Amino acid sequence: MAFHEVRFPAKLSFGAIGGPERRTEIVTMASGFEERNTPWIHSRRRFDAGMGLRSLDDLSAVVAFFEARSGQLHGFRWKDWSDHKSCAPSAAPRFGDQVIAIGDGQTRSYALTKAYRSGANVYLRPIAKPVRNSVRAGIGGNEVFFDINYTVDHVLGRITFNEAPDVGAEVTVGYEFDVPVRFDTDRIAVSISSFQAGQVPDIPVVEVRV
């Protein structure tokens, strides 16, 4: 899949409307009971890039970005302002934010994940696009340091330690991250007069699997 490691202008994604979606298949029995199933392990985010536009200059920037991605052809990074950190939105990422593994004394490379908890249920979301220079890590409750103790693959969302964490040691990380997305349309239509009057174009963006 073609993907450009470039972020949609963050100031233009601020104000966009969007969030996660799930796909649930529901079959209602004659008795009224339901059977529910889903073919998706992970949720997928959708956004409307048009909702962040405030001026004709903003529109021009989005059109340029759209053309450079060839419409739906190439994916790109998107900052979801409502969910772009390993911690609470008001906090700064710390090395102990997320437990991603327990050391076994042999494994050195781990995929980044983020846990969403509610009651006894936990959903682990893969994080494929960490923001460069934002990843912090710890082993067994002690912080370790980038380049000295580990490296990060910012394209695939993996952290690799120079030495395998000890058996039983918690491997923890903190980070900022982007969402891998593409435009969900090959056409941008806007009337300049209506745009100036307060109507913005519909520019759908959808998360992609990478």
Side-chain angles (χ1 to χ4, degrees), residues 193-206:
S193 61
S194 65
F195 185 80
Q196 291 176 324
Q199 295 182 2
V200 298
D202 179 24
I203 310 176
V205 172
V206 62

Side-chain angles (χ1 to χ4, degrees), residues 3 18 46 120 135 148 153 164 189 194 198 200-202 207:
F3 193 92
R46 286 185 178 273
V135 179
I148 299 174
D153 186 332
S194 65
V200 298
D202 179 24
E207 184 176 1

Side-chain angles (χ1 to χ4, degrees), residues 12-13 26 31 40 53 65 102 135 161 192 194:
L12 301 183
S13 64
I26 302 174
S31 62
W40 289 6
L53 307 187
F65 192 92
I102 302 297
V135 179
F161 294 93
I192 296 301
S194 65

Side-chain angles (χ1 to χ4, degrees), residues 3 6-8 44-47 75-81 83-84 125 127-131 177-182 205-208 210:
F3 193 92
V6 60
R7 178 194 271 179
F8 186 88
R44 181 172 67 173
R45 268 99 182 134
R46 286 185 178 273
F47 305 95
F76 54 93
R77 289 170 173 257
W78 173 277
K79 183 173 183 176
D80 177 3
W81 286 88
D83 187 5
H84 67 281
R125 176 186 178 185
I127 302 299
K129 300 296 179 182
V131 174
F177 64 96
D178 294 324
V179 183
V181 300
R182 63 166 172 81
V205 172
V206 62
E207 184 176 1
V208 295
V210 293

Side-chain angles (χ1 to χ4, degrees), residues 132-152:
R132 190 169 296 276
N133 299 324
S134 75
V135 179
R136 301 177 64 181
I139 298 176
N142 298 311
E143 185 169 12
V144 294
F145 300 96
F146 181 72
D147 273 348
I148 299 174
N149 304 109
Y150 65 91
T151 59
V152 177

Side-chain angles (χ1 to χ4, degrees), residues 65-177:
F65 192 92
F66 178 86
E67 293 284 27
R69 308 286 85 74
S70 299
Q72 299 185 80
L73 185 60
H74 298 285
F76 54 93
R77 289 170 173 257
W78 173 277
K79 183 173 183 176
D80 177 3
W81 286 88
S82 67
D83 187 5
H84 67 281
K85 297 180 182 179
S86 57
C87 53
S90 60
R94 296 175 54 83
F95 73 87
D97 287 346
Q98 302 286 327
V99 178
I100 60 171
I102 302 297
D104 60 8
Q106 296 181 344
T107 304
R108 295 192 303 117
S109 183
Y110 302 91
L112 299 182
T113 58
K114 180 177 179 179
Y116 295 77
R117 292 182 172 83
S118 178
N121 296 318
V122 180
Y123 164 61
L124 288 180
R125 176 186 178 185
I127 302 299
K129 300 296 179 182
V131 174
R132 190 169 296 276
N133 299 324
S134 75
V135 179
R136 301 177 64 181
I139 298 176
N142 298 311
E143 185 169 12
V144 294
F145 300 96
F146 181 72
D147 273 348
I148 299 174
N149 304 109
Y150 65 91
T151 59
V152 177
D153 186 332
H154 297 91
V155 174
L156 299 178
R158 297 192 68 86
I159 183 170
T160 301
F161 294 93
N162 297 342
E163 297 182 4
D166 292 338
V167 175
E170 284 190 341
V171 180
T172 60
V173 292
Y175 47 77
E176 293 187 12
F177 64 96

